[in-house]
Amino acid sequence: MTTLIVGRFQQLSSADSAVRDLGRVGFLKPEMCLVYVNPHGQHAIHPVGGDLDESPGTHEASSGAMTGAAGGLGAGTLVGVATLPALGPVGPLLGAAVGAYAGALVGALKNMDENETQEPDSPPPREPGMLLAVAADAPARRDSAIEILSEYADEVEEVDGTLRDGDWVDFDPLQPGRTIG
């Protein structure tokens, strides 16, 4: 594993200019890797798509659903009793069922929304765009890579990784590096 200096670009022309200038100061093509990072949640890490095993907030949804269903059951039963003359004995049952369903749905969604916050210690997700990673195995090469990438890139970061013949073999789009500058 070596130190990689990584620049994030929105324009391919800027990334190409950085590659050209890096080549002029001695970086070889196998020491660089250009990859595209999809927007957060669209990395298709799992076979059915997505980045996570489950959606954030799903554990809290069940408690919200139970609370909402209980409240909806009571309200729906009252509405059903009011419709007793028109619907007959099925009115309270229908009202209770509709109320419980609606309450469960509202309760689950409300509870998920309240709990869908990012962990305080986790870094923000990496922004989408093209990443140019450069292997910087010496302090002088690190400084050159930072200087050139800072000129063209929207953001520059430093990560520990492995470039092998121009391929970033241990790249993880969910793990941003340490921002430089």
Side-chain angles (χ1 to χ4, degrees), residues 56-68 103-117:
T58 54
H59 293 289
E60 292 81 12
S62 60
S63 63
M66 295 302 288
T67 304
L105 181 62
V106 170
L109 293 175
K110 181 179 183 308
N111 213 24
M112 284 176 63
D113 186 44
E114 289 173 356
N115 290 295
E116 200 170 310
T117 58

Side-chain angles (χ1 to χ4, degrees), residues 6 22 39 50-51 82 137 141:
V6 181
L22 287 163
D51 298 341
D137 53 0
R141 290 173 57 84

Side-chain angles (χ1 to χ4, degrees), residues 1 10 12 32-33 45 66 82 95-96 98 105 113 130 145:
M1 204 169 280
Q10 293 301 318
L12 181 59
M32 295 182 263
C33 177
I45 291 173
M66 295 302 288
V98 170
L105 181 62
D113 186 44
M130 287 166 281

